[in-house]
Amino acid sequence: MYARRRRIYFLLMGGCIFLFVSAWSFVRLFSVEAAVALCVVAMVIPPVAAMIANRRGPEDRWWDDPSGDPKSDEWWDELDGKRRHED
């Protein structure tokens, strides 16, 4: 899953760079308004790409899932206040 998200991220970012470079390389020769519109579209792509790349998949471990190490899980539970250590 991680490889697929990374591939999609790089495709989106490559498309962003392509739009930006093409807008000011040759589209501006025909229409400055179209070049600006391409740049606006390119401006929206990076946040969308970041959301896709950082999306949690169904098989991804979430931050509060147990890690499997009892000592580490006990330590994190104590920090989060889930379980109180009784001395």
Side-chain angles (χ1 to χ4, degrees):
M1 283 304 225
Y2 176 71
R4 186 179 71 189
R5 285 192 315 233
R6 188 176 55 188
R7 190 176 319 119
I8 291 171
Y9 172 80
F10 284 121
L11 282 173
L12 284 170
M13 293 306 289
C16 175
I17 291 171
F18 174 76
L19 285 174
F20 185 75
V21 170
S22 67
W24 297 112
S25 295
F26 59 87
V27 173
R28 71 174 170 86
L29 300 174
F30 303 108
S31 171
V32 173
E33 292 83 9
V36 170
L38 284 177
C39 284
V40 168
V41 171
M43 178 182 69
V44 173
I45 293 175
V48 172
M51 285 186 272
I52 288 173
N54 292 318
R55 182 179 54 197
R56 177 183 174 215
E59 73 286 343
D60 291 343
R61 184 175 173 274
W62 193 234
W63 65 275
D64 59 351
D65 285 345
S67 67
D69 178 20
K71 189 165 184 84
S72 174
D73 292 338
E74 179 183 333
W75 184 74
W76 281 109
D77 287 343
E78 182 181 344
L79 281 178
D80 290 338
K82 290 183 180 176
R83 272 189 244 145
R84 299 280 179 206
H85 250 65
E86 298 183 21
D87 296 313

